[in-house]
Amino acid sequence: MQKSFEVERIQCSLKIGKSYYSLNNIEKAAEYILLTAKEASVKLTETHDSIYLKYFIDCQYYFNQLLLQAYIVDETKSVYNAIKSDSILYNKCDLVNAYIINFIFFYWGLGDFESAKIIIDEHINYCDRYFPKSSELHAYYNMLKAVCLKHLDQINNSEASFRKSKELYEGQPNNISSAYYPTVLINLANIYADINLLTKYKNCNLNILQTKLNNSLINYYAIFELQMAIGYGYLKFNMFDSTLFYYNKAIEIRSANIHEVIYMYDILVLTSFAELYYKMGDYSKVHEALNRVLKIFDSQSLQMSIDRVTANLLNANTFLNDTKYSLAIKEFYSNQITCDSAYGRKKYYFENIFGGAKVQYFMQDYGVACDNFYQYFEYYKKKINDASFFLSEVELQGYIEKFESVNDYLVSLAEIVHEDSIVSGAYDAWLFKQGFVINTIRKIKSIKDTDPVIQSKYEELVQAQSELTMELSKPTKFQRKLDSVMNIKNLREKELAALSKNVEKELKQINHSDILKSLRNSEILLEFVTYKFKETPLIDQNRYGVFVLEPGTKKVNFISLCSASLLDSIAGQALDFLSVNALYDNPELVNLVWNKILPYLKDKKRIYITTSGMLNKVNISALRLNVNQTVSDLFEITYLNSSKDLLSMDRSQNTKTSFATATLYGDIDYSLSASASEGTYVTGTLRGLNYFDFFMTDPGARRSKWQKLKYSKAEIDNISLRLKHYGCEVKLLDRINANENYIKSHYGPLNKNYSPELFHFSTHAYFLPQKKSKSNTDGIYTTYRRMGDFSLIQSGIVLSGANKNWNVTDSSYYDDGILTAFEISQLNLQNTKLVVLSACDTGLGEISNSEGVYGLRRAFKIAGVDKILMSLWSVADYQTMEFMKIFYENLCTKKLSPRLALSATQKTMRQKKYEPYYWAGFVLIE
């Protein structure tokens, strides 16, 4: 009787609270629901009767909706202890699960993500014991754990949990029906900056929405949340009309069918509209929406939460974009203090540091701005270093690009303020990300033999790369397993990255002092950069600049050169014989690139150069300073893949070059037919695609055939004789023997053979630029196919039998005569000192601001090659043969180093009255 009375009293109290709630009398509703929660908590602790747990769970729901978790902290914890102490109660799985979900949200509402994570970890074990493997709960709790870790700024653990949740959802028979699967997708899309996952997120929500609408019993709460999620997806694509459409649809659902007060929904709607108006530039509406959000927090005395932090951050950024700097700096500073106090110095704290630095930059408080930018740089440097131990190559590249903006601000500061600390700080930030991904790949390759576990995992990666190579070698319509194979390859890279942490903690950090110490007094380093000069919060200008590192002054200087549009418009005209020759005699280009630099070159003999942007496609050392002299006539020029390589390269003059072993490819039979050995020659044959084909995409370019090169035989015969004369062991691969199987089988990634010290390829090569994407997404989002493996497929060397497969229509081949850059990157060429690419366009590729050129040069560097001689445009057959004859005479007979041999060869070609088209395109990358 006593129990019945107590249950009825609690039940009555809860009903009164619900009635007030339905009448939107929140104060009275909270009073009665709180009373119910306290009584239910006490009785549950005393009796362990599950009926009281049911009532407490009901109360939890309302307190979570009203964001009033702080009022039942003690009660919530005592209920949890009661559940854990009673095995019978603990075995009531559905009830316990409902309580735990609310318990997690309870901690989220308090901003206590650490405690939430502990509860989730315990309940993941609980689910493993009490729920079948087919239960969606396993995926759901891993998703909740990932969200906690994200707010704790543990991006590595968060990514792993999101990835595990994704795998578990995709293992469900009806994963498309789960409303939480898209949440996993959008979070991974944000980590990887992956437009494919972003698209999948949007489409998945659309499919789920359609399924829900087709149900006879409509869940309006789910429909509302889906409409908001779809709108958010369109917002990421900057499709504002579609975003507005779905947001308004969600509001209609809310108004017509969800009448109770749910502050989480109100805050979601208002902040979503604020983000939309922010992107549209309607700042008055942003402030209006955010003020309503803050009014909800203040009127209900709601505690601090992530929602409030992000609302304040958006408010501050809106003031910044609206050039209301005094209001912006006040908001950033206040939010920074709040974040530090509530959550520590994690993501949101540093986002406010970065925002404040931008305000100080535009207020011309440059010293303070630089200090804060550098604080943010140190933060993101740590995040990128951490990411290198859990992301794949393409994921890491996308992650790094998210931090590009701070580099632009630092370089802009270097342009404005010529203080040593500011310029050197900007250079260090630039240097940090240069070649970070390729150096991470090299690091993993270098440790693969240090541990049996790593070696085994590396062998698995090699297998995955091999399967991906086979899939990518097929015509597009036959690449049915591409996504699954790519996913396996990425997973193997991630596993190796994680294992590498046990061997080497992180890449050695190099700064300007290291570079300056490595330079001799007669040397200088020119680090060309492309950056966005920040004129206003919303207006920037793409520019070229150069960091000048001169050991005599022991400091870094920065020179702003010109707008990118001006230089690119001039350099981009070099497409054929006439335009290339005109470019290298163009005084305007010389003025843009060299005039401001020349005063720093007094008494210098050697210049180290790293290039950026369109300068990757121009041999700036071949530009004429006057009628009789090019830059390379006055200085010894060394092109570096990265200025970091300066610390490990052979710095000697090296006037005694010799090669013990060499492999030569040439006089290649591209058709594997009896008549092909004689060849059909075309006057003026180019060693690659002609420029009409050059700008075509893959299917168009493959309509043509590769012509046999008339002078290739003379070229490799001459080189072979010269090398043998000086004691070099030469392997000559010609006609049908010049196949890709030889190099892949002898120098594969697991092969222990020492690669030859010299490789020479006298053949065709190609680079097929991707179509420019018209995607209108946020700038941080890129397709994972834009860089990495897919860009390395766009470049390649043409070997025997290529004509059979270049325009293939079936999918039954592997060694197709086309040695792609992706395949080259998998080779083991650690012993190779020099690769000579006597072919067209071998220096071209997709350009990344942090990683340089994604093409053959990157592939050979990953494979371990020391130096690469390559071409920047389509080279002519006969003149290239003559060029190589002179080059090897300088290299072998005169024993010059490759860089001096190249310089001497170009000078001789000029003396023979050859136009720049025939000699200026060859550059040596060290």
Side-chain angles (χ1 to χ4, degrees), residues 90 232 560 676 723 786 851:
Y90 195 63
Y232 177 75
S560 178
L723 288 169
R786 185 173 65 82
E851 290 296 310

Side-chain angles (χ1 to χ4, degrees), residues 320-336:
L320 169 62
N321 283 4
D322 206 15
T323 67
K324 295 178 179 178
Y325 299 136
S326 59
L327 292 172
I329 196 68
K330 181 180 177 181
E331 192 79 21
F332 280 126
Y333 184 66
S334 173
N335 210 25
Q336 176 187 329

Side-chain angles (χ1 to χ4, degrees), residues 32-304:
Y32 279 93
I33 294 172
L34 178 60
L35 178 63
T36 305
K38 287 180 178 293
E39 291 192 11
S41 169
V42 170
K43 299 310 296 181
L44 179 65
T45 304
E46 292 175 355
T47 66
H48 289 195
D49 193 321
S50 62
I51 188 68
Y52 299 113
L53 178 58
K54 291 178 182 178
Y55 288 127
F56 190 83
I57 291 170
D58 278 347
C59 295
Q60 272 186 307
Y61 169 80
Y62 289 102
F63 273 83
N64 285 337
Q65 297 296 341
L66 297 172
L67 304 180
L68 295 173
Q69 294 91 339
Y71 292 92
I72 53 168
V73 172
D74 294 337
E75 291 77 13
T76 303
K77 292 179 179 178
S78 67
V79 168
Y80 184 61
N81 292 331
I83 292 172
K84 291 187 69 176
S85 65
D86 189 305
S87 60
I88 296 175
L89 195 60
Y90 195 63
N91 285 331
K92 295 184 180 295
C93 301
D94 291 336
L95 266 181
V96 171
N97 187 61
Y99 168 80
I100 290 295
I101 291 173
N102 282 312
F103 194 19
I104 293 165
F105 290 145
F106 158 81
Y107 274 125
W108 283 13
L110 295 175
D112 188 353
F113 295 103
E114 190 64 56
S115 295
K117 187 185 84 66
I118 292 171
I119 299 300
I120 293 170
D121 281 334
E122 290 179 1
H123 203 61
I124 285 175
N125 293 330
Y126 181 89
C127 287
D128 289 340
R129 288 173 57 192
Y130 291 99
F131 290 92
K133 289 184 178 181
S134 58
S135 172
E136 187 183 310
L137 286 172
H138 301 287
Y140 178 69
Y141 280 108
N142 274 282
M143 184 268 292
L144 294 181
K145 180 179 179 179
V147 173
C148 282
L149 292 164
K150 179 179 76 170
H151 289 308
L152 290 169
D153 210 13
Q154 298 178 24
I155 190 67
N156 53 338
N157 295 326
S158 176
E159 185 270 349
S161 292
F162 276 127
R163 186 157 40 87
K164 184 173 182 181
S165 178
K166 180 174 180 286
E167 292 169 2
L168 290 168
Y169 273 124
E170 290 174 350
Q172 299 288 319
N174 296 311
N175 68 73
I176 194 63
S177 64
S178 171
Y180 300 104
Y181 176 59
T183 302
V184 174
L185 296 178
I186 189 60
N187 277 281
L188 288 173
N190 289 336
I191 293 171
Y192 307 149
D194 186 345
I195 196 174
N196 290 343
L197 283 173
L198 186 61
T199 303
K200 191 173 182 180
Y201 161 80
K202 176 176 65 68
N203 293 339
C204 191
N205 274 318
L206 286 167
N207 290 333
I208 295 171
L209 176 64
Q210 191 58 53
T211 302
K212 298 285 186 186
L213 290 173
N214 290 337
N215 287 343
S216 56
L217 189 62
I218 294 180
N219 182 339
Y220 290 107
Y221 297 89
I223 299 298
F224 166 81
E225 292 174 8
L226 282 165
Q227 302 276 20
M228 293 301 299
I230 293 166
Y232 177 75
Y234 279 113
L235 182 63
K236 288 294 182 182
F237 282 97
N238 290 332
M239 299 171 66
F240 301 141
D241 289 342
S242 297
T243 301
L244 198 58
F245 173 82
Y246 280 100
Y247 282 175
N248 285 331
K249 282 285 186 183
I251 290 176
E252 289 175 13
I253 293 289
R254 173 89 162 91
S255 301
N257 302 286
I258 305 173
H259 302 296
E260 65 265 37
V261 174
I262 303 178
Y263 286 134
M264 289 192 301
Y265 281 5
D266 296 334
I267 291 169
L268 173 63
V269 169
L270 289 168
T271 53
S272 296
F273 270 97
E275 289 177 1
L276 171 61
Y277 294 138
Y278 177 80
K279 283 193 165 190
M280 295 173 68
D282 194 341
Y283 300 131
S284 62
K285 288 187 177 180
V286 176
H287 291 307
E288 180 184 337
L290 292 177
N291 286 338
R292 290 175 63 188
V293 171
L294 298 176
K295 198 172 287 185
I296 292 173
F297 280 105
D298 295 337
S299 65
Q300 301 301 325
S301 300
L302 302 181
Q303 66 272 15
M304 176 53 60

Side-chain angles (χ1 to χ4, degrees), residues 271-469:
T271 53
S272 296
F273 270 97
E275 289 177 1
L276 171 61
Y277 294 138
Y278 177 80
K279 283 193 165 190
M280 295 173 68
D282 194 341
Y283 300 131
S284 62
K285 288 187 177 180
V286 176
H287 291 307
E288 180 184 337
L290 292 177
N291 286 338
R292 290 175 63 188
V293 171
L294 298 176
K295 198 172 287 185
I296 292 173
F297 280 105
D298 295 337
S299 65
Q300 301 301 325
S301 300
L302 302 181
Q303 66 272 15
M304 176 53 60
S305 71
I306 290 295
D307 290 321
R308 186 159 193 159
V309 168
T310 54
N312 287 337
L313 184 58
L314 182 57
N315 209 29
N317 277 309
T318 305
F319 284 133
L320 169 62
N321 283 4
D322 206 15
T323 67
K324 295 178 179 178
Y325 299 136
S326 59
L327 292 172
I329 196 68
K330 181 180 177 181
E331 192 79 21
F332 280 126
Y333 184 66
S334 173
N335 210 25
Q336 176 187 329
I337 293 173
T338 300
C339 290
D340 192 11
S341 173
Y343 306 111
R345 299 195 170 188
K346 296 186 174 70
K347 174 184 175 182
Y348 296 108
Y349 171 84
F350 286 103
E351 287 295 333
N352 281 282
I353 287 280
F354 185 39
K358 288 187 276 188
V359 178
Q360 289 150 351
Y361 170 88
F362 292 114
M363 293 177 73
Q364 299 181 13
D365 191 355
Y366 296 129
V368 177
C370 185
D371 290 342
N372 286 327
F373 280 134
Y374 215 72
Q375 267 198 72
Y376 185 70
F377 161 67
E378 289 296 329
Y379 165 74
Y380 94 67
K381 184 167 74 170
K382 182 181 184 307
K383 304 310 291 184
I384 289 173
N385 274 322
D386 290 345
S388 69
F389 294 112
F390 68 87
L391 294 182
S392 69
E393 176 190 347
V394 290
E395 291 166 356
L396 183 59
Q397 176 64 36
Y399 187 74
I400 289 172
E401 288 181 2
K402 296 197 296 182
F403 297 97
E404 189 71 30
S405 180
V406 69
N407 286 77
D408 290 328
Y409 274 102
L410 284 168
V411 178
S412 297
L413 269 175
E415 175 178 334
I416 298 168
V417 185
H418 297 285
E419 293 181 14
D420 293 352
S421 60
I422 290 178
V423 176
S424 60
Y427 177 70
D428 287 345
W430 175 273
L431 185 64
F432 168 75
K433 68 185 181 66
Q434 292 308 302
F436 188 91
V437 175
I438 192 173
N439 286 328
T440 300
I441 298 169
R442 286 169 169 173
K443 178 192 72 174
I444 291 174
K445 276 195 166 190
S446 70
I447 64 172
K448 69 179 187 297
D449 297 326
T450 61
D451 180 275
V453 176
I454 294 177
Q455 188 172 28
S456 174
K457 190 60 64 178
Y458 188 78
E459 290 172 1
E460 292 179 22
L461 172 62
V462 169
Q463 179 61 34
Q465 289 174 329
S466 176
E467 291 172 5
L468 182 58
T469 298

